């Protein structure tokens, strides 16, 4: 961007540069050139001085040379013809006895970036590779890479490549690393420099001569190496062990990255490496440079996805400093949420509470939502804080609290009582649309429990004309409808007014269409409306029992030590389905969501066989029907389940009379089940109305799934008998079979002697079920459905295996406990 | 606003990574998905190099020394690849002399004694002494000097009941060397210095840190026996040792606060703060700034402070009272009474007060107790040379809940 008056400046500079008096005085000449460079840095267009600067190039003063080269490299592409004049001077400099002059000339000759000078450059570059001085060789090696970049389609000169490979053995470490870099660029199309065993070992042996940057480069290139034997692999790893705890974060990160790439099949080694870097990573979190702190925090978040316990003891290191910028505080809070446990929860919440009144509203809101996340495991303590915050009557705090409560209630329906009583009076403080939308959602779902709900709603409906937010209007319509379903007398009038306004006066098509839809729905009668609008109140896939599953390292290893983890918003800490109920509110129809799940499952298994849908369909068509309502909360499930285990433990003693339980243990052959992803398993189960409550992480043994359903068997007598089934699927894995049996202990013993198929026990999933009240026919029906689902999901299983399972009811199966 | 922004932006395939040092943004662009640790560490190192070569880091010094910085960049990075960042290697290549930008400051005048009295005998090096370019030592005029700084940053959280909930100290020993002929130096630490939690400690005044790491140039052959670090210092600044200590400080935290907050009949908020400094009586904290967040709607404050050199004012933007104490001697206590007028207080204003944050500097004191016993240079320096050992503890984040 040329400044005004740049012509005057350029003219003045030209006069100074061509003044013979100045030219004869080295100091004054250098100062004149300095002025040109200054003008250039400030954005002035000084391209017109090119020929004067070319003349100034021929000098013995190195500082002046350097300045001129800065100028020439910036403007050479604009003046390719004039630039050729410099080549002679540069080529002469390449013969200079002073190595500094030689390297300077060689570097800048290539930096001119002119395709026309290539022919003049090749000879000095070849000579440069064999120069005595290391600094010239460094420049020459990289020069070849630049040259290749200048003519990307030219043929690669085999002799040069060979020479570069030879220079990997150069005594100067920087020359060696530059060779790697140059070969990577030149041989890009062949996949980069060849990393074979001798080169790898050579590089590893010279690692400690290199500086931080060279080490990082070598470690990155070595990621492509595949050790030929386990012994070699461990030799390499032990050699790298010191780099893993390097005080320099770049070396530490590059080494860990190499570890993760080299041993994807040795999780124990990878986990040990993660433990090793804990110290250096924590140190980086306390670094003076806040950018380093931030980067370290982002990477700790990655590590925690696989090793949730990694930083447990060090949670205090993640307390926010007062003066830290908001982006660091938010990351720290995200980490703190992951570290919460019974011992530190009080301390952590106390700390987070302090951040809720932060001057920075983003920080305050992040703290509030962090408390909400902890509330999924420690709801009472967190709700107390959240309701306390409502007392402050501050706009942004109230809004964040209401949104947090909405998200909390969605996964923890047991919190709803407290939330409902806290909601009264919030609407006065709420200003922003996000907060009001959350309030409306809560009123829609728990309207019958909030006594003032109709009044609040009336306030909203009266103000609908002034309402600017589309989201609030849509939410308002749904809320008015759902509230009408449970409290028709109080809301009929206002619903009428709202629908009238939205249909007659509203200009936005989305709102109008939705109003029309609801209006017509009401015409179909209350029952139909109920069916459509009576959506879910809580997330169906509650994972509270085991918490967030630890992911395998491979899930994130590819993004480790890249810019990816630094992305705004951070790593996605959980599957979207659990994020917020907001996205599900319009997904009101259960059938619809089931249909979606169905699509999903077919997509997942489109590679296997086409019969999956049929099998599922046939199992659903059995006289037995399964249903998910009433929903079972995780706490309830846990209670029922542990009760079952206790009973089991006591079973040798007195038989408990009067209980209507039945327990069943069963083995189903379905080899690939534990390899199928939790999402597809869950989707498949939901398709036949079996709810999965909790999973162990993917590919972890022993692998467990907890599930429940209600069976309903149509009896000839007319009245259907309903029973609740809770169950566990257990797969102890190939290697861990014996260990698993010990761990399972007593529960496993009574089947230990049981004869199973000729394939042994390796590929079986153990199913433990408990039904109340007892209904064996339904239980067997359920088992066959479950078996069908599992077989459908494991692609290797063939139809022959379907019936090849051995059933064994407990000895006391016929005498209810 | 920039100051709060995120250290990475991207535009299509091009990523911008920046760090902030010395009030300047140092930006790198990268197309490949390169290591963020490397890019950020490099930018920090580059800033440190520029500081070493220009003497100080500011917009002014960058403007004055643009030629030097071009030259530096040319040697440090070639074709996007980092070549070297070692100041020992670079000093052979860098030819341009730094232009010193010496801002006129009244503070510098304090070093001039009355009637030209000898000020060099003062035991404390002037704080500006170390801000000079490395290369000036090459000339005759430059004094050969060496500075060894022990710098600690503490972050503390004290609960409302006065219980210390967290203490963290991050410390480092930094050497600034302007002594071209120095080939080796030995730094002796406290003999009773120990690393790690598990080590048994005697009853003596032991100094302990949890974790400790050293610059790769440091040789530790005498460290285990007599706690001596040996190194060949390169010109300019380098961090020789970094250490860190959590939760167990050898002494009590330096400040305690006893607040009394109530509402008076006129709806005003009365805050009576008693602040105690528990440092040893000989030392003192300087530049203490106490920040007390106040409720929304606060309009003005009237104050009663215990001495005239203190000051306090209400910052509406950050919604806090800032109480400045230039010097706070150990073993003393200060008090302040703030009466806060508010236009519209929320229903629970007392909840909105706090937590109180202190920022301070403790000169000549390392809270971990780390000391440098001796500093020996070899070969023995001819002519006048000066060795400075300085200690300072900064507050990183000192929070007292109320």
């Amino acid at each position: 961007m040329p400044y005004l008056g740049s012509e005057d400046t350029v003219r003045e500079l030209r006069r100074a540069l061509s003044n013979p008096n100045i030219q004869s005085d080295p100091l004054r000449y250098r100062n004149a050139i300095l002025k040109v460079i200054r003008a250039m840095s400030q954005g002035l267009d000084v391209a017109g001085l090119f020929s004067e600067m070319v003349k100034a190039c021929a000098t013995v003063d190195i500082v002046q040379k350097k300045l001129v080269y800065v100028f020439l490299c910036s403007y050479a592409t604009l003046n390719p013809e004039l630039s050729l004049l410099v080549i002679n001077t540069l080529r002469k400099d390449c013969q200079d006895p002073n190595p500094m002059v030689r390297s300077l000339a060689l570097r800048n000759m290539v930096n001119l970036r002119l395709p026309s000078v290539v022919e003049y450059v090749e000879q000095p570059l070849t000579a440069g590779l064999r120069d005595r001085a290391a600094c010239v060789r460094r420049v020459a090696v990289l020069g070849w890479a630049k040259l290749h970049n200048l003519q990307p389609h030219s043929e690669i000169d085999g002799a040069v490549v060979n020479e570069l490979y030879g220079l990997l053995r150069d005594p100067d470490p920087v020359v060696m690393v530059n060779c790697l870099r140059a070969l990577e660029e030149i041989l890009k199309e062949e996949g980069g420099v060849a990393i074979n065993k001798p080169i790898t070992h050579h590089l590893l042996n010279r690692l400690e001569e290199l500086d931080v940057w060279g080490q990082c480069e070598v470690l990155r290139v070595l990621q492509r190496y595949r050790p030929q034997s386990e012994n070699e692999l461990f030799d390499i790893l032990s050699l790298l062990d010191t780099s893993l705890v390097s005080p320099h974060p770049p070396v530490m990160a590059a080494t860990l990255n190499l570890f993760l790439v080299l041993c994807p099949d040795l999780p124990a080694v990878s986990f040990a490496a993660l433990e090793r870097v804990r110290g250096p990573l924590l140190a980086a979190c306390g670094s003076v440079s806040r950018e380093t702190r931030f980067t370290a925090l982002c990477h700790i978040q990655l590590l925690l996805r696989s090793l949730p316990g990694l930083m447990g003891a060090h949670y205090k290191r993640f307390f926010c400093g007062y003066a830290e910028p908001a982006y660091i505080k938010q990351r720290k809070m995200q980490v703190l949420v992951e570290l919460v446990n019974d011992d530190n929860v009080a301390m952590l919440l106390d700390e987070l509470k302090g951040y809720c009144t932060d001057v920075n509203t983003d920080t305050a809101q992040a703290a509030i939502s962090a408390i909400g996340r902890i509330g999924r495991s420690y709801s009472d303590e967190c709700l107390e804080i959240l309701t306390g915050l409502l007392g402050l009557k501050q706009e942004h705090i109230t809004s964040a609290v209401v949104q947090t409560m909405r998200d909390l209630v969605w996964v923890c329906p047991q919190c709803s009582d407290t939330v409902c009583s806290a909601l009264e009076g919030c609407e006065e403080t709420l200003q922003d649309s996000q907060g009001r939308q959350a309030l409306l959602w809560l009123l829609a779902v728990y309207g019958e429990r909030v006594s003032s709900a109709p009044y609040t709603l009336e306030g909203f409906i009266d103000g609908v004309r002034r309402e600017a937010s589309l989201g609030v209007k849509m939410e308002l319509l749904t809320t008015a409808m759902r509230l009408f379903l449970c409290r028709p007398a109080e809301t009929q009038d206002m619903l009428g007014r709202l629908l009238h306004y939205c249909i007659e006066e509203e200009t936005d098509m989305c709102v109008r269409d939705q109003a029309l839809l609801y209006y017509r729905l009401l015409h179909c009668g209350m029952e139909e409306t109920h069916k459509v609008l009576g959506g879910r109140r809580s997330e169906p896939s509650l994972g509270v029992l085991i918490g967030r599953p630890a992911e395998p390292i491979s899930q994130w290893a590819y993004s480790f030590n890249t810019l990816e983890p630094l992305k705004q918003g951070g790593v996605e800490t959980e599957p979207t389905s659990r994020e917020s109920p907001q996205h599900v509110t319009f997904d009101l129809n259960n059938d619809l969501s089931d249909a979606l799940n169905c699509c999903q499952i077919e997509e997942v298994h489109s590679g296997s066989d086409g019969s999956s849908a049929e099998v599922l369909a046939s199992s659903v068509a059995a006289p037995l029907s399964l249903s998910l309502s009433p929903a079972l909360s995780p706490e309830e499930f846990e209670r029922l389940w542990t009760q079952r285990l206790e009973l089991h433990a006591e079973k040798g003693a007195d038989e408990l009379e009067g209980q209507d339980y039945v327990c069943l243990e069963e083995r189903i052959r379905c080899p690939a089940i534990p390899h199928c992803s939790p999402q597809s398993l869950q989707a498949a189960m939901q398709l036949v109305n079996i709810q999965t409550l909790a999973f162990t992480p993917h590919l972890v043994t022993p692998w467990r799934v907890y599930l429940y359903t209600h069976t309903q068997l149509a009896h000839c007598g007319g009245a259907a008998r309903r029973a609740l089934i809770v169950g566990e699927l257990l797969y102890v894995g190939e290697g861990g079979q014996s260990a698993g049996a010990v761990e399972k202990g007593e529960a496993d013993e009574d089947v230990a002697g049981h004869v199973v198929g000729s394939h042994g026990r390796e590929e079986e999933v153990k199913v433990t079920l408990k039904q109340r009240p007892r209904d064996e026919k339904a239980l067997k029906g359920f088992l066959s459905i479950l078996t069908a689902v599992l077989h459908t999901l494991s692609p290797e299983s063939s139809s022959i295996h379907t019936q090849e399972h051995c059933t064994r009811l407990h000895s006391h199966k016929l005498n209810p406990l | 606003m920039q100051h709060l922004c995120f250290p990475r932006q991207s535009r299509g395939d091009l990523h911008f990574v920046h760090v902030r040092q010395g009030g300047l943004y140092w930006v790198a662009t990268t197309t490949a998905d390169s290591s963020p640790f490397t890019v950020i560490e490099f930018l920090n190192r580059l800033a440190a190099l520029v500081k070493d070569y220009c003497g100080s880091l500011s917009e002014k010094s960058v403007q004055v020394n643009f030629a030097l910085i071009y030259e530096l960049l040319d040697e440090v990075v070639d074709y996007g690849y980092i070549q070297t960042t070692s100041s020992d290697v670079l000093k052979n290549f860098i030819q341009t002399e730094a232009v010193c930008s010496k801002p006129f400051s009244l503070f510098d005048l304090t070093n001039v004694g009355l009637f030209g009295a000898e000020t060099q005998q003062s035991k404390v090096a002037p704080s500006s002494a170390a801000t000079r370019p490395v290369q000036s030592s090459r000339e005759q005029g430059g004094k050969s000097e060496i500075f060894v700084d022990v710098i600690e940053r503490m972050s503390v959280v004290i609960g409302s009941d006065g219980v210390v909930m967290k203490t963290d100290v991050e410390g480092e020993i930094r050497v600034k060397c302007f002594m071209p002929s120095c080939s080796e130096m030995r730094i002796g630490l406290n003999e009773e210095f120990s690393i790690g939690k598990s080590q048994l400690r005697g009853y003596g005044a032991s100094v302990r840190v949890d974790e400790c790491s050293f610059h790769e140039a440091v040789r530790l052959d005498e460290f285990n026996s007599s706690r001596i670090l040996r190194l060949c210092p390169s010109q300019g600044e380098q961090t020789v040792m970094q250490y860190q200590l959590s939760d167990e400080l050898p002494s009590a935290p330096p400040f305690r606060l006893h607040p009394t907050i109530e509402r008076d009949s006129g709806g005003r908020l009365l805050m009576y703060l008693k602040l105690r400094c528990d440092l040893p009586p000989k030392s003192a904290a300087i530049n203490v700034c106490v920040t007390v967040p106040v409720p929304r709607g606060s309009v003005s404050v009237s104050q009663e402070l215990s001495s005239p050199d203190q000051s306090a004012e209400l910052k509406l933007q950050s919604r806090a009272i800032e109480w400045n104490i230039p010097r706070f001697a150990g073993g003393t206590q200060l008090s302040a009474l703030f009466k806060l007028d508010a236009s519209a207080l929320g229903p629970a204003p007392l909840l909105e007060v706090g937590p109180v944050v202190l920022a301070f500097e403790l000169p000549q004191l390392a809270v971990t107790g780390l000391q440098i016993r001796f500093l020996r240079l070899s070969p023995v320096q001819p002519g006048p040379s000066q060795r400075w050992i300085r200690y300072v503890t900064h507050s990183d984040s000192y929070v007292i809940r109320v």
Side-chain angles (χ1 to χ4, degrees), chain A residues 38 210 302 355 443 572 641 733 752 770 772 799:
Chain A
R38 183 196 302 272
L210 305 173
L302 277 188
Y355 309 150
L443 288 181
E572 194 181 303
W641 187 253
K770 175 188 173 185
R772 188 180 69 170
S799 55

Side-chain angles (χ1 to χ4, degrees), chain A residues 563, chain B residues 8-17 28-32:
Chain A
L563 296 175
Chain B
R8 186 210 123 174
Q9 309 276 325
S10 54
R11 182 162 291 248
D13 253 359
L14 195 64
H15 301 283
F16 295 82
V17 181
T29 63
T30 162
T31 45

Side-chain angles (χ1 to χ4, degrees), chain B residues 55-354:
Chain B
S56 64
L57 210 55
S58 66
E59 200 175 330
K60 178 93 170 117
S61 67
V62 169
Q63 267 174 1
V64 177
N65 287 302
F66 67 93
L68 174 61
I69 294 172
Y70 272 129
E71 194 180 354
L72 205 55
L73 265 177
D74 224 24
E75 299 295 342
V76 168
V77 194
D78 189 10
Y79 194 44
Y81 293 117
I82 306 167
Q83 298 296 298
T84 179
T85 53
S86 139
S87 36
D88 287 332
V89 178
L90 284 169
K91 74 178 176 208
N92 303 320
F93 291 94
I94 302 301
Q95 305 275 328
T96 316
E97 295 293 341
V99 184
C100 262
S101 62
K102 279 226 177 83
F104 174 77
S105 141
L106 276 176
F107 189 69
D108 288 344
L109 293 181
T110 55
N111 293 330
V112 182
L114 274 177
F115 309 110
E118 193 69 84
T119 51
Q120 275 307 326
Q121 287 181 352
S122 82
K123 284 273 167 24
V124 186
S127 63
S128 61
T131 60
R132 61 186 176 106
V134 273
Q135 292 196 311
S136 58
S137 55
R138 230 186 262 170
E139 299 143 54
Q140 289 302 315
K143 276 188 303 229
S144 66
E145 281 181 307
I146 192 156
F147 297 84
V148 177
D149 295 343
V150 179
I151 301 164
E152 298 190 342
R153 292 175 294 129
M154 67 186 312
S155 60
V156 174
V157 179
I158 299 178
S160 47
D161 48 359
V163 176
V164 180
M165 304 177 81
K166 164 199 158 163
T167 46
D168 253 344
V169 179
E170 312 262 351
E172 57 188 38
I173 298 181
R174 218 183 272 170
V175 172
K176 279 181 202 163
C177 178
F178 306 104
M179 203 173 271
S181 61
C182 175
S183 64
E184 192 192 63
M185 67 187 286
R186 296 164 80 225
I187 304 174
L189 307 181
N190 318 37
E191 269 171 337
E192 60 274 25
F193 181 79
S194 66
I195 301 170
K197 282 199 196 287
S198 57
Q199 292 191 22
L200 281 174
R201 282 174 287 154
Y203 291 99
S206 74
V207 177
R208 189 185 67 82
V209 299
D210 287 342
E211 266 165 61
C212 187
S213 62
F214 302 92
H215 191 273
E216 63 266 17
V218 176
R219 270 162 297 151
L220 296 170
D221 35 357
E222 287 180 71
F223 185 73
N224 279 335
S225 55
S226 43
R227 301 300 182 202
I228 293 172
L229 309 175
R230 283 170 58 209
L231 77 152
C232 306
S234 46
Q235 298 296 300
E237 186 178 307
Q238 57 199 315
T239 301
V240 169
M241 168 175 150
Q242 283 177 300
Y243 55 93
Q244 165 256 310
L245 169 67
S246 311
D247 284 342
E248 281 179 60
L249 273 190
S251 53
F255 295 100
R256 289 198 175 269
L257 182 77
H258 304 279
T260 322
I261 302 169
E262 54 194 35
R263 290 180 86 160
D264 74 353
S265 48
R268 286 193 302 184
L269 213 56
L270 297 183
M271 293 194 278
Y272 184 66
L273 307 179
K274 259 197 296 189
L275 189 63
R276 193 176 159 70
C277 179
D278 286 329
L279 292 172
K282 272 182 285 177
S283 26
I286 57 168
N287 301 331
V288 182
C289 174
V290 186
T291 310
V292 190
V294 296
R296 281 191 169 219
S298 306
V299 181
S300 66
V301 68
S302 62
Q303 69 239 25
E304 286 169 30
L305 303 172
S306 50
S307 79
D309 56 340
Q310 303 169 25
S311 65
E313 64 175 313
L314 176 67
K315 302 260 173 166
L316 285 176
Q317 178 150 31
S318 55
R319 232 179 61 218
I321 296 175
E322 277 185 15
W323 173 21
N324 289 302
I325 307 159
R327 194 188 139 83
F328 196 169
T332 59
Q333 183 167 306
L334 293 176
S335 59
L337 176 66
F338 298 108
K339 293 178 185 160
L340 201 65
D341 284 310
S343 57
L345 277 183
L350 296 186
L351 279 179
E352 292 180 60
V353 177

Side-chain angles (χ1 to χ4, degrees), chain A residues 361-563:
Chain A
T361 51
D362 288 339
T363 307
Q365 293 184 339
I368 292 167
S369 81
I371 293 179
R373 288 290 307 280
I374 295 176
R376 293 175 185 188
S377 334
Y378 301 92
S379 41
D380 294 344
E381 298 91 325
C382 294
L383 280 172
E384 194 186 318
I385 297 180
L386 290 176
T387 40
L389 287 170
L390 286 175
L392 291 177
K393 299 266 176 215
Q394 288 190 19
E395 220 179 287
H396 67 280
I397 292 182
T398 309
S399 165
V401 169
V402 174
Q403 288 175 59
T404 303
M405 284 180 162
R406 172 196 61 192
D407 296 349
L408 183 61
V409 154
W410 178 245
V411 283
C412 299
Q414 71 273 22
C415 304
S416 55
D417 286 334
T418 324
V419 170
C420 288
S421 54
L423 284 181
E424 316 259 349
C426 278
E427 73 278 0
E428 294 155 21
T429 332
L430 280 176
Q431 297 294 324
D432 66 325
S433 58
Q434 290 292 324
R436 284 183 302 158
Q437 252 172 285
L439 177 66
L440 283 171
W441 188 87
L442 283 167
L443 288 181
V445 177
Y446 294 104
E448 79 273 14
R449 291 201 235 157
V450 185
S451 57
S452 68
Y455 302 102
T456 312
L457 199 65
E458 185 146 37
F460 272 100
I461 290 176
D462 289 343
V464 72
R465 271 164 222 280
R466 295 185 303 277
E467 183 55 62
S469 156
L470 178 64
V472 172
K473 284 187 209 172
M474 305 277 269
E475 198 73 62
L476 183 58
L477 271 170
T478 312
T479 306
M481 284 294 285
R482 289 181 78 168
L483 210 55
F484 174 66
L485 291 179
C486 58
R487 301 168 81 160
E490 294 157 285
T491 50
Q492 185 176 9
D493 182 50
M494 60 176 98
L495 177 65
R497 272 189 287 143
L498 181 66
L499 286 177
H500 182 266
Y501 167 80
C502 288
I503 293 170
E504 296 293 328
E505 294 179 48
E506 176 60 45
T507 48
D508 189 281
M509 272 304 148
C510 294
V511 179
R512 191 170 164 270
D513 281 355
Q514 193 171 4
L516 273 174
L517 172 79
Y518 285 153
Y519 180 71
R520 288 169 190 151
L521 192 62
L522 285 171
H523 274 290
C524 300
M526 281 303 251
E527 203 164 312
E528 205 61 21
T529 317
H530 244 299
K531 242 174 154 176
V532 174
L533 281 172
R536 287 203 177 107
R537 283 177 161 191
S538 60
E539 167 67 33
S541 61
L542 297 174
V544 184
L545 272 185
I546 299 181
R548 190 151 78 79
E551 296 171 38
I553 292 174
S554 58
Q555 292 271 316
W556 50 265
Y558 68 92
S559 68
F560 185 82
N561 203 17
T562 67
L563 296 175

Side-chain angles (χ1 to χ4, degrees), chain A residues 189-200:
Chain A
E189 294 188 353
E190 300 169 22
V193 57
I195 295 294
N196 53 26
K197 192 168 171 177
I199 290 185
T200 306

